[in-house]
Amino acid sequence: MQEVILVAITPDLWHKFHKSYIVDPAMSDIPYTYNYEKCHKHYISRISDPKRREFAIMSDSELVGLIGLKRINEESGQAEFGIALVDDSVKGRGFGTRAIGLLISYAKDELNLNTILADSVHRNTRSQHVLEKNGFAYTHEDTNFKFYKLIL
């Protein structure tokens, strides 16, 4: 099994991910087209937000995805997380599962969080399985998403 590590995001890693990113059909039917200016503006907004932490998911020096915490609330000890893998070639190999485990440890040990929230579009059953594998419990759903919660 290949080692997975989380690395603080850099502009180079951010752009490398987005240049290679292929939308998962389980997430959206809208194709993604890389645009340097839009991508860089998005990167700046993400790293400038004090309520976010962004990481690259690396395996054997290969960039396989991005993962991060958002809406970090120190008072309530809660945050939400998001993950995206670069394309189908890295899916089903355990990278997402292991990256989520590392992010959970970071949230608990470094940020002293006690709850992480997540969501998944209804048709993304692979994501739902990975959330449950990492201890997230299904809480409810709306017309677009299933919602999950992990108590640390």
Side-chain angles (χ1 to χ4, degrees):
M1 188 175 287
Q2 294 173 299
E3 181 184 18
V4 172
I5 62 170
L6 302 185
V7 176
I9 196 67
T10 65
D12 288 342
L13 288 170
W14 184 264
H15 284 279
K16 182 176 181 178
F17 173 85
H18 286 89
K19 284 178 188 175
S20 303
Y21 180 68
I22 298 173
V23 174
D24 185 332
M27 293 292 296
S28 176
D29 297 324
I30 302 167
Y32 170 77
T33 303
Y34 173 77
N35 173 289
Y36 178 86
E37 294 301 324
K38 286 182 182 178
C39 185
H40 198 68
K41 186 176 180 180
H42 191 216
Y43 168 77
I44 296 299
S45 74
R46 290 275 182 108
I47 63 158
S48 299
D49 183 348
K51 302 289 184 190
R52 292 187 90 101
R53 301 292 186 282
E54 301 286 340
F55 300 95
I57 305 167
M58 306 295 292
S59 178
D60 295 336
S61 302
E62 177 188 2
L63 175 63
V64 297
L66 301 178
I67 192 167
L69 292 167
K70 59 186 176 182
R71 297 184 186 98
I72 298 168
N73 185 324
E74 295 172 4
E75 289 179 24
S76 69
Q78 185 171 290
E80 297 174 32
F81 99 93
I83 184 171
L85 298 180
V86 70
D87 62 34
D88 284 345
S89 74
V90 299
K91 294 178 182 169
R93 296 170 55 191
F95 296 133
T97 300
R98 286 178 276 156
I100 292 169
L102 292 170
L103 190 72
I104 290 167
S105 295
Y106 172 81
K108 182 179 179 183
D109 300 339
E110 301 296 323
L111 300 179
N112 298 311
L113 299 180
N114 56 48
T115 306
I116 301 176
L117 304 173
D119 60 55
S120 172
V121 295
H122 286 283
R123 63 185 181 185
N124 194 346
T125 56
R126 183 185 310 191
S127 173
Q128 295 156 21
H129 175 72
V130 170
L131 288 171
E132 291 168 1
K133 219 161 120 173
N134 274 285
F136 284 81
Y138 167 84
T139 59
H140 66 286
E141 59 188 83
D142 65 17
T143 56
N144 298 312
F145 296 95
K146 289 186 175 187
F147 297 90
Y148 294 82
K149 185 177 193 175
L150 176 67
I151 305 296
L152 304 176

